[in-house]
Amino acid sequence: MIPEQFRNALADSLLWLFWVPFRRLMQLLPLRAAYFLAWLLAWLASYFLLRLKRTIAAELSELLPDLSWKELGQIAGESIQLDIQRRMEELFFGQFTQESTAATVSIEGEEFLQQAGSAGKGTLILLSHFGSFLMILPALAFRGYPVNQLAGPPELKHHRRINKLIFRLREQDYAPLPVRFLRADLHIKDMLKALKNNELVAMALDGRISSSWVSVKFFGKDASFAPGPVKIAAKTGAAIVPTFIVRDRFNHHRLIFTEPVPLQAAADEEAFLQTNMQRLVAVLEAKIRQHPAHFAMIFHINQQRSRLGIEQSFFS
């Protein structure tokens, strides 16, 4: 059996190669060449990672029991390709310009975004870890929308030195983008001010780090979701617009806005949070059923991390 210390050292070396010299190479390549290389490596990985593909297919069978093993295997293979393409896209994320972003991302349902902003109380762009979710931010910002990304503090206590280096490199790459990044533990006043100014605040519906949880039905099972979006919308009057991004081809995405989800009244606060979170999660579930490969790897990663006690599992 290989000692854990040796495994960690090998993993750290591979991560360094990926995030330092290979990242630099990807940033030097023309955008089309970088996307082609990402597609090629993703296809090769999905072909050879048979054990991972079987594991993801087995996990997906819990969510989609009506699908055949062949169908689950195809979805699992596609999920590996999509995840690798997303991660490699992050390497040249900071290189995107207004022109290259417009050529890479098309937008559907923008009228729903404009409808949400017409009330003048700001809009919560409700993201999920679905597809190349980070591409949503530059796509909106380069289109002229004032975009604020609200996220929890980085959970670096579970990470090694190489992970902290990667975090700093990501910060450097994201810095040139016209997006303001806010931390939920430090910038709540800034977030509230942004909504008051009728700006966009992007936040995740399926985040796995939270101080409180609400139990809702997700693929027919009891699942835990953080009620932050409902709490913020109730406090500020901001509209909630579920937002997704779907990769159509190896270098093209469709950014999809769905109809704003208004909050429904309930007998008490607990029922209010549960009712409205259930309605939001139902939108996410419907989109996953349409494009399961865009979520399968995230579900697999959560299964792994929850077993290690790093983050909350979707299911109890």
Side-chain angles (χ1 to χ4, degrees):
M1 182 154 180
I2 302 175
E4 182 179 0
Q5 186 175 5
F6 179 80
R7 292 201 308 270
N8 288 343
L10 178 60
D12 289 354
S13 299
L14 293 174
L15 283 170
W16 182 87
L17 288 171
F18 184 75
W19 274 97
V20 180
F22 186 70
R23 165 176 160 271
R24 186 58 182 150
L25 169 64
M26 294 294 281
Q27 292 176 346
L28 292 172
L29 290 174
L31 188 62
R32 288 182 63 85
Y35 264 119
F36 177 77
L37 182 56
W39 172 83
L40 178 62
L41 294 177
W43 181 84
L44 289 172
S46 69
Y47 183 80
F48 287 105
L49 296 176
L50 297 179
R51 182 177 178 181
L52 176 60
K53 189 185 300 186
R54 287 193 294 268
T55 300
I56 294 173
E59 292 168 346
L60 274 178
S61 67
E62 300 177 13
L63 303 183
L64 303 167
D66 294 336
L67 296 185
S68 68
W69 184 252
K70 181 180 179 180
E71 290 172 318
L72 292 170
Q74 290 172 341
I75 293 170
E78 185 183 350
S79 75
I80 294 172
Q81 293 182 37
L82 290 171
D83 187 68
I84 292 174
Q85 288 177 278
R86 174 182 69 83
R87 293 176 187 275
M88 293 185 68
E89 201 168 43
E90 287 185 39
L91 299 181
F92 51 90
F93 191 66
Q95 308 303 109
F96 278 98
T97 63
Q98 184 173 2
E99 293 74 19
S100 60
T101 304
T104 305
V105 183
S106 61
I107 297 181
E108 300 177 9
E110 192 169 6
E111 66 274 13
F112 295 133
L113 190 59
Q114 295 167 351
Q115 174 188 336
S118 64
K121 296 184 178 181
T123 302
L124 289 178
I125 299 297
L126 201 57
L127 314 181
S128 56
H129 295 86
F130 179 100
S132 292
F133 49 90
L134 288 176
M135 284 298 298
I136 295 173
L137 304 179
L140 286 172
F142 282 128
R143 204 170 177 85
Y145 291 99
V147 181
N148 305 268
Q149 166 71 35
L150 182 68
E155 289 291 313
L156 295 178
K157 64 182 180 180
H158 298 293
H159 295 164
R160 301 187 297 276
R161 182 180 300 178
I162 185 63
N163 301 104
K164 296 177 182 180
L165 170 63
I166 292 170
F167 180 79
R168 290 195 299 271
L169 291 175
R170 279 175 168 162
E171 283 190 321
Q172 293 173 16
D173 288 346
Y174 298 170
L177 297 174
V179 177
R180 187 164 61 150
F181 294 91
L182 306 176
R183 276 176 48 170
D185 59 332
L186 299 177
H187 304 124
I188 290 299
K189 289 184 179 179
D190 294 323
M191 180 270 294
L192 295 174
K193 183 177 179 181
L195 291 175
K196 187 176 181 179
N197 292 336
N198 203 26
E199 297 179 5
L200 307 183
V201 172
M203 63 184 304
L205 171 62
D206 59 345
R208 297 291 87 202
I209 306 295
S210 178
S211 58
S212 63
W213 301 95
V214 171
S215 179
V216 297
K217 291 295 183 182
F218 186 49
F219 287 92
K221 302 179 180 181
D222 291 330
S224 299
F225 281 80
V230 172
K231 288 184 176 181
I232 293 172
K235 179 180 178 65
T236 64
I240 301 177
V241 178
T243 306
F244 303 92
I245 191 160
V246 173
R247 188 186 295 271
D248 275 343
R249 302 184 297 276
F250 73 91
N251 66 341
H252 185 265
H253 303 277
R254 286 187 295 127
L255 174 54
I256 302 169
F257 300 105
T258 69
E259 192 170 358
V261 179
L263 299 181
Q264 286 188 352
D268 53 43
E269 182 179 9
E270 181 179 354
F272 175 78
L273 293 176
Q274 199 278 333
T275 296
N276 288 290
M277 285 301 298
Q278 182 65 75
R279 297 172 70 231
L280 296 175
V281 169
V283 177
L284 172 61
E285 180 179 329
K287 189 60 67 175
I288 294 172
R289 289 184 181 276
Q290 287 180 333
H291 304 281
H294 282 63
F295 187 77
M297 181 60 79
I298 291 297
F299 182 63
H300 167 70
I301 292 171
N302 172 252
Q303 297 283 87
Q304 288 186 314
R305 291 173 64 85
S306 62
R307 283 194 290 267
L308 296 173
I310 296 176
E311 64 184 31
Q312 174 76 26
S313 172
F314 281 103
F315 303 111
S316 303

